[in-house]
Amino acid sequence: KNLCKNCEWLEGIYFCNMNISNITFDDTTNNIEGMFEGCSNLEFIYLDRMYHGYGSAGRNKFNWLIDHIRTQCINLKELHLDNLTGQPLSTCKSLFKDFTKLEKIYLEKFDLGEVDDISEMFMNCYNLKTIDLSDFNQRYADVYHMDSMFENCSSLETLNVNVLKTNSLRTANNMFKGCSLLASIDMTNWDISNVTNRTDMFTNCNSLTNLNMTNVKLGSNLSGLFYGANNLIAINGLDSVTFKEGTCVTNTSNMFY
């Protein structure tokens, strides 16, 4: 509790291998309260291999800690969360939302557990230049919601979303909206045949010129599929696109609007 409170002179912290599983954290007692309070000049935090414990208490500790860092470390540029251990999360909705100064985030072997919602996960991370999702553990996760996942990541230059499992995806509206520096998006092997809402998925992606849709699976409704992708030059892999079994295309309105 209050471990680094008001350490305004701190610019970086290494807390690798930290174990917070035995720290009391419940409805009446929060003994990790104030951990980074007032650390407004912190630019990097290493929490690699942190063990936060199992059960709902372990999950809640992790979520509280991330929210605490967001509100207190307002100038944070690097966040290292590689190889975390403990209770897998049940949702990642808005997990890193509004880390507005963050430039780099490290998520090696990040366990999505039984997560079904990763919407707004990186929303408004204006300064993030790259996000490496290649080591996301989605073994048991059926993700239904990815809406606004990268919305307003306006400095993002590279992104490897083809590693995401999308076979259960239902909503993807605003997913890449405002990613104004992304020049290409690789959607290889995506299954978006069950998506019911993808409004403004590519709106304000002003640098987007190339879209890879190799082996993408679509549904019957293609309405507004590329809406907002006004500078697209090439859509690769269209000859390999398939459709949900037993469906026919019923709507192509505003497909390229």
Side-chain angles (χ1 to χ4, degrees):
K1 188 172 184 177
N2 300 328
L3 181 62
C4 301
K5 185 175 181 179
N6 294 329
C7 293
E8 297 179 6
W9 48 269
L10 271 178
E11 295 182 358
I13 289 180
Y14 293 85
F15 280 157
C16 299
N17 300 304
M18 184 171 64
N19 184 345
I20 62 172
S21 63
N22 294 317
I23 297 175
T24 304
F25 182 90
D26 54 36
D27 293 338
T28 58
T29 305
N30 179 1
N31 282 335
I32 54 176
E33 184 178 9
M35 187 172 182
F36 296 111
E37 185 175 338
C39 295
S40 57
N41 290 312
L42 263 179
E43 294 190 357
F44 61 87
I45 298 176
Y46 282 73
L47 296 174
D48 297 335
R49 299 179 298 281
M50 181 178 70
Y51 175 58
H52 52 270
Y54 285 93
S56 59
R59 179 187 294 141
N60 291 339
K61 282 177 194 176
F62 178 77
N63 286 331
W64 182 90
L65 185 58
I66 295 300
D67 193 53
H68 179 62
I69 292 171
R70 176 189 4 256
T71 57
Q72 298 299 319
C73 306
I74 56 176
N75 289 302
L76 194 68
K77 294 181 179 179
E78 288 188 25
L79 181 59
H80 295 251
L81 296 169
D82 288 343
N83 299 292
L84 301 177
T85 56
Q87 182 68 34
L89 302 180
S90 58
T91 180
C92 287
K93 179 180 173 69
S94 304
L95 185 61
F96 303 112
K97 180 181 179 181
D98 294 331
F99 274 80
T100 57
K101 299 292 181 65
L102 200 64
E103 296 177 3
K104 298 177 182 178
I105 188 167
Y106 298 86
L107 298 168
E108 183 177 335
K109 295 184 179 178
F110 192 81
D111 193 350
L112 291 182
E114 299 178 356
V115 167
D116 63 4
D117 190 347
I118 55 178
S119 59
E120 302 182 3
M121 188 173 180
F122 302 100
M123 184 178 180
N124 297 336
C125 291
Y126 303 118
N127 288 291
L128 265 181
K129 292 179 172 60
T130 183
I131 304 171
D132 186 0
L133 306 177
S134 61
D135 219 9
F136 263 29
N137 183 351
Q138 283 185 266
R139 287 177 299 169
Y140 309 110
D142 283 320
V143 178
Y144 292 95
H145 308 290
M146 294 184 184
D147 32 308
S148 298
M149 185 177 180
F150 307 104
E151 184 174 352
N152 294 329
C153 290
S154 52
S155 297
L156 204 57
E157 297 174 355
T158 59
L159 187 62
N160 56 333
V161 293
N162 62 319
V163 300
L164 295 175
K165 287 169 58 178
T166 60
N167 52 299
S168 298
L169 190 61
R170 298 294 187 274
T171 59
N173 48 298
N174 303 322
M175 186 172 180
F176 304 104
K177 184 178 181 180
C179 293
S180 54
L181 292 184
L182 266 183
S184 63
I185 297 176
D186 186 355
M187 299 169 64
T188 298
N189 296 321
W190 269 35
D191 181 349
I192 53 175
S193 60
N194 295 308
V195 172
T196 57
N197 189 348
R198 54 174 174 266
T199 306
D200 291 326
M201 191 173 179
F202 302 107
T203 295
N204 295 331
C205 291
N206 300 325
S207 300
L208 185 63
T209 56
N210 188 288
L211 198 59
N212 190 345
M213 297 190 65
T214 302
N215 296 324
V216 168
K217 188 175 184 180
L218 300 173
S220 60
N221 184 2
L222 304 184
S223 174
L225 180 60
F226 304 109
Y227 181 89
N230 299 326
N231 294 310
L232 263 183
I233 295 174
I235 304 175
N236 300 322
L238 284 178
D239 57 336
S240 64
V241 167
T242 58
F243 292 86
K244 188 176 181 180
E245 186 176 353
T247 64
C248 297
V249 176
T250 58
N251 191 348
T252 59
S253 62
N254 299 321
M255 185 174 175
F256 294 98
Y257 185 74

